[in-house]
Amino acid sequence: MRSVIKYVPYKVRPDDTAEIEHEARCVFGDEVECGAESGPRSDPAEVDVWMREHTRETRHGRYRQSMAGYVLWEAIEPVPSPVAP
């Protein structure tokens, strides 16, 4: 049995139905990082508040911020249905 492989171009586009998540982790420390995390938040201002409060409580002042979103991987052209033998 032989297989036929057809190249189908795809594109990536943002998934507008999902919110972007913002997060911060405290990386203060020379040998070992603090590691406290804000947890994912939809509003980046909430992460700023968390960092401010953590700094006030601990005097830690170094953070790693991240932002994550969802994307859709879609065929540019319709993919034909396989033909039954």
Side-chain angles (χ1 to χ4, degrees), residues 19-27 36-45 47-48 50-51 63-69:
E19 290 186 354
I20 293 174
E21 295 176 345
H22 305 267
E23 195 166 3
R25 180 170 51 90
C26 179
V27 294
E37 297 180 342
S38 67
R41 314 282 175 97
S42 59
D43 184 354
V47 176
D48 292 347
W50 179 84
M51 288 188 293
Y63 298 88
R64 182 178 190 281
Q65 287 187 301
S66 59
M67 182 176 70

